[in-house]
Amino acid sequence: MDLAFSSLSLPSIDESQADVVACGLFVDDRPMRGLAAVLDYRLAGRLSGFVRRGELVGSADEAFLFPPRPRLMAEKLVVFGWGNVSEMDEAATTRAVRRMVTTLAGLGAKRALLELPGRARGLVDADTAARLFFAEVADAGLGCTFLVVEDDPGKRLFLSRIDEEKKRARRVM
């Protein structure tokens, strides 16, 4: 697994060269936030349209796949449902991260741009998100390049978590 970071900006998203983009939304959080909001803007409100028509709800375990071209150069966009904001605890975050990782593996993602559950609202701290993400990627054995949307303090926590994981792996050997 390779890991890099992306900012929450249209130029960064455009330059990502991701084949799959993954974001999420909550049932009870409108307007959309984070990566979903930026993508909705880039897609001229297509995500909002799906929500208005009830085709995309944001319920837990929902995965909504569609081709975002020509406005977004990725081959696939997956919008995951994260349930209700008030229910985003560590167990719900673990399930959501597992769902994202297994879906990306199933899609054969080679380079995936993603935002982890609850990060845009600050519901999940970066260290917890990193720990859960690395555990799920290790379990899935996914050999993908991940571009994680994260702010600077979050990047530092992710990088320190990577160092800890490498040290742990060396001790196991």
Side-chain angles (χ1 to χ4, degrees):
M1 170 191 80
D2 291 324
L3 180 73
F5 298 98
S6 178
S7 66
L8 193 58
S9 69
L10 289 174
S12 292
I13 293 166
D14 291 341
E15 294 167 7
S16 71
Q17 299 179 353
D19 58 324
V20 181
V21 176
C23 64
L25 61 111
F26 292 96
V27 171
D28 55 347
D29 192 22
R30 301 294 182 269
M32 294 175 202
R33 298 183 194 213
L35 185 56
V38 173
L39 294 172
D40 189 44
Y41 177 80
R42 170 49 53 91
L43 297 169
R46 283 181 68 192
L47 294 180
S48 294
F50 292 133
V51 169
R52 273 193 308 279
R53 290 188 301 275
E55 298 172 60
L56 178 58
V57 178
S59 58
D61 299 324
E62 179 179 25
F64 187 84
L65 171 69
F66 71 97
R69 288 189 179 182
R71 293 187 177 265
L72 189 66
M73 294 318 306
E75 294 172 27
K76 301 169 185 119
L77 171 60
V78 187
V79 182
F80 292 92
W82 292 336
N84 293 309
V85 170
S86 62
E87 297 170 0
M88 184 51 66
D89 58 9
E90 189 163 331
T93 304
T94 300
R95 285 190 306 275
V97 170
R98 182 175 299 130
R99 174 72 180 209
M100 291 180 85
V101 169
T102 58
T103 299
L104 291 171
L107 291 172
K110 302 288 183 245
R111 187 172 177 89
L113 173 71
L114 62 106
E115 179 178 63
L116 292 170
R119 289 295 298 136
R121 289 209 48 178
L123 299 172
V124 178
D125 64 84
D127 189 54
T128 301
R131 178 175 49 81
L132 298 173
F133 176 69
F134 292 137
E136 292 303 325
V137 170
D139 286 349
L142 187 57
C144 177
T145 297
F146 292 100
L147 297 145
V148 179
V149 173
E150 198 55 72
D151 59 14
D152 286 337
K155 288 177 193 176
R156 285 191 290 278
L157 287 168
F158 262 80
L159 292 172
S160 68
R161 177 60 68 173
I162 290 171
D163 290 340
E164 288 176 29
E165 293 294 322
K166 286 179 182 175
K167 288 175 188 173
R168 187 184 61 74
R170 277 187 230 130
R171 282 192 304 263
V172 171
M173 295 175 139

